[in-house]
Amino acid sequence: METRGQQKSTGVIVVDVQGDFTEWKNGALAVSGTGKAFIDKLGQATSTLKSSGCKIYATMDWHPSGHISFFTSHNNKKIMDVIRVDGRTQVLWPPHCVQHSSGAELVLDKGLFDAVVKKGQNKNFDSYSGFKDDGGESTELLDILKKDGIEQLIVYGIAMDYCVRATAIDGVYAGFDVTVIEDLTALITPETSLKAKQDMINSGVVFQKQL
Ligand code: VGL
Ligand code: ZN
């Protein structure tokens, strides 16, 4: 079989581009820089990648009400407090991406996606990574990538310092070449994003400014 010169098959993981994370939809956990212009840019980049033959996957945060990551699920806690649960660190967020709520909906055209993977469905575990939750339970993402013969991943979306970070790093652990497109991400805080970028680079994630 002739394989020389054949390109590695590329999968694109569009992380958590859901109303609740956007300013455009006045989301519950709106990340700065996520107005309509940013979302349009993500849509255009994703269309371009799809046209060039990449498989396109979306992850979705999909929490039950009373989820462990919601500050309202704990007594006397406020947004962005950090607590310890069973030896794990848990950042507390406003309730967001509650299953079936309008804020949980993807804000990109669903026709772009070859598969959509939901995460964070177990009330007791958070799941920044699209591959597995903090309890170690896997989503179907890795099986889908393997079935599709994917060898390299392009990752972008919201938020760079949390779910993009965790998904990109787990992608490397799973054996993929992973590139994060920086201009197609939005970040929650400058401090966590600086650390996140360093963590990703240390894990072997490649950073690229633009597509
Ligand atoms: C995310 C905080 C809480 C993310 C999800 O998508 O980055 N951040 N849940
Ligand atoms: Zn979440």
Side-chain angles (χ1 to χ4, degrees):
M1 193 172 60
E2 178 60 74
T3 54
R4 269 178 306 138
Q6 195 170 307
Q7 279 210 304
K8 285 190 177 178
S9 43
T10 304
V12 177
I13 304 181
V14 182
V15 176
D16 297 6
V17 183
Q18 295 168 267
D20 269 343
F21 294 120
T22 71
E23 294 175 319
W24 181 35
K25 298 291 180 182
N26 204 9
L29 211 175
V31 177
S32 43
T34 58
K36 184 166 187 305
F38 176 73
I39 302 304
D40 285 347
K41 184 166 73 171
L42 294 189
Q44 278 155 21
T46 308
S47 300
T48 301
L49 289 163
K50 192 175 178 68
S51 305
S52 75
C54 300
K55 289 270 193 182
I56 315 286
Y57 311 99
T59 62
M60 284 178 91
D61 226 20
W62 193 249
H63 298 314
S65 57
H67 189 253
I68 193 161
S69 73
F70 299 171
F71 83 98
T72 46
S73 304
H74 307 269
N75 287 323
N76 306 312
K77 294 295 172 196
K78 54 186 195 311
I79 292 168
M80 292 204 81
D81 276 352
V82 179
I83 62 167
R84 301 284 295 176
V85 228
D86 297 334
R88 303 188 310 277
T89 299
Q90 177 67 56
V91 182
L92 300 180
W93 305 104
H96 62 279
C97 299
V98 173
Q99 295 174 1
H100 308 289
S101 67
S102 58
E105 284 172 24
L106 292 170
V107 295
L108 295 178
D109 173 11
K110 287 165 200 64
L112 289 166
F113 302 114
D114 293 286
V116 176
V117 172
K118 295 184 168 109
K119 64 186 177 66
Q121 304 194 63
N122 185 324
K123 191 174 170 174
N124 300 313
F125 294 102
D126 211 351
S127 186
Y128 296 148
S129 169
F131 289 92
K132 60 169 171 47
D133 71 19
D134 292 351
E137 172 126 4
S138 294
T139 64
E140 65 276 29
L141 180 57
L142 182 56
D143 288 341
I144 294 170
L145 299 176
K146 284 183 178 163
K147 176 186 65 84
D148 287 349
I150 299 300
E151 295 168 283
Q152 57 186 18
L153 294 174
I154 292 173
V155 182
Y156 54 83
I158 314 170
M160 192 274 242
D161 29 356
Y162 290 91
C163 292
V164 170
R165 172 192 178 281
T167 302
I169 289 175
D170 278 352
V172 172
Y173 288 163
F176 300 97
D177 291 336
V178 180
T179 301
V180 167
I181 312 294
E182 208 166 1
D183 282 0
L184 301 178
T185 66
L187 49 98
I188 295 182
T189 73
E191 302 75 42
T192 47
S193 70
L194 212 65
K195 168 87 163 61
K197 185 172 178 180
Q198 206 53 62
D199 292 344
M200 286 188 262
I201 288 170
N202 291 343
S203 303
V205 173
V206 172
F207 263 75
Q208 191 174 310
K209 188 81 180 144
Q210 291 169 316
L211 203 57

